[in-house]
Amino acid sequence: MTVPASSIKWELRGFKGTISDGTLTINSIDEGAKAGYVIARYDGFSSVAVLAAGADKKFEDFEQTTYPITFSNTNGVVGSATLVAGLSENAASKALQLTYDFTGGSGTKAAYAVFNTTGKALEGKPSAITLDVLGDNSLNWLRAEFIDNTGKAHLVTLAKQVDWTGWKQLKINLPADEMTYPVKLKRIYMASLEDGQDERALAGSVAFDNISFQYAALVAEPPRTTIQLVVGSKSAKVGGVAMKL
């Protein structure tokens, strides 16, 4: 049955927030709450949705990398993809450094850091990626390429322009509804479109660290009691136990 949104009375438990025009905004989480509950009520009926925190899983911090990370390019681009220490406050910590030189060649250019030749597999079905990026203020395009289970490539923009210097954390949603899982992270790359190349740096260096993926919370289906009713009978069975009506 379709009812007007204005007829629904909402109850929020475990958090503070508002619901307006079909959008739920969470303002704060109650102390000690392990989950949030959104209860919709209409004319004596009710339905509940459970909101739980998702999981954040480390993918790569480059401290004990055993698989190959290689450099590849397009249109005469030169550069390198190497693990380097000393780029952060922790001098011993390693990061993946991608250097590039777009001076040669023509057209759209790109410099790639390739993971494990054909890509490194991800667990489960992540909904977002988080990573630290050491920017070079080059204004070039930063992207990642994922390969799904059908072999289809999915290009995800991490930053339309690298317009900062120093470390910055990025969090980007993945096109989860378009991917066939499982997927691999094949490569992260810097690109310079043919149009407007004179407005961007032709050479530079960026670095990546602390790559992790976010996963939606798994909320267990609550147990449901079977109720058996028979027309004309003054008794029923609730969970297999007979009861008088």
Side-chain angles (χ1 to χ4, degrees):
M1 183 165 109
T2 302
V3 299
S6 58
S7 299
I8 299 295
K9 293 183 178 180
W10 296 98
E11 181 181 347
L12 309 179
R13 295 186 183 180
F15 66 96
K16 303 294 188 299
T18 58
I19 296 178
S20 177
D21 297 327
T23 300
L24 167 64
T25 301
I26 300 175
N27 298 324
S28 64
I29 308 296
D30 294 351
E31 184 176 355
K34 296 182 178 180
Y37 301 89
V38 183
I39 305 172
R41 302 186 188 278
Y42 173 76
D43 195 27
F45 296 93
S46 64
S47 184
V48 61
V50 183
L51 307 179
D56 188 290
K57 296 184 180 180
K58 182 178 72 174
F59 177 76
E60 184 58 84
D61 61 6
F62 304 108
E63 298 304 324
Q64 297 179 343
T65 304
T66 58
Y67 58 88
I69 298 178
T70 56
F71 175 82
S72 67
N73 63 341
T74 62
N75 296 348
V77 174
V78 296
S80 63
T82 55
L83 298 182
V84 178
L87 296 179
S88 64
E89 294 181 358
N90 183 352
S93 178
K94 295 180 181 179
L96 172 59
Q97 185 177 55
L98 175 64
T99 63
Y100 58 91
D101 188 339
F102 294 152
T103 304
S106 60
T108 296
K109 306 170 187 180
Y112 303 90
V114 184
F115 292 77
N116 202 24
T117 308
T118 59
K120 183 183 178 185
L122 278 62
E123 293 183 31
K125 299 180 178 180
S127 59
I129 179 175
T130 299
L131 72 165
D132 296 336
V133 179
L134 179 61
D136 59 0
N137 202 34
S138 64
L139 303 183
N140 287 306
W141 198 9
L142 179 61
R143 307 187 86 188
E145 180 180 352
F146 295 85
I147 306 297
D148 72 11
N149 199 40
T150 67
K152 181 180 179 181
H154 300 268
L155 305 180
V156 176
T157 295
L158 304 178
K160 291 182 179 180
Q161 289 184 324
V162 178
D163 56 1
W164 69 91
T165 303
W167 286 101
K168 179 179 180 180
Q169 186 180 75
L170 305 179
K171 181 176 181 179
I172 299 90
N173 291 330
L174 300 179
D177 56 340
E178 301 175 8
M179 293 180 172
T180 302
Y181 289 93
V183 300
K184 295 179 179 180
L185 173 58
K186 183 177 181 180
R187 51 194 183 181
I188 297 177
Y189 62 99
M190 291 287 283
S192 179
L193 298 177
E194 182 176 10
D195 184 34
Q197 282 187 357
D198 58 339
E199 300 173 1
R200 301 183 292 272
L202 293 177
S205 174
V206 293
F208 314 104
D209 203 1
N210 301 320
I211 302 175
S212 63
F213 288 91
Q214 286 70 53
Y215 296 79
L218 297 177
V219 180
E221 180 73 12
R224 300 184 183 277
T225 302
T226 300
I227 301 176
Q228 293 175 301
L229 301 171
V230 179
V231 175
S233 175
K234 294 184 178 180
S235 65
K237 287 186 177 180
V238 180
V241 179
M243 295 183 63
K244 289 185 178 181
L245 300 180

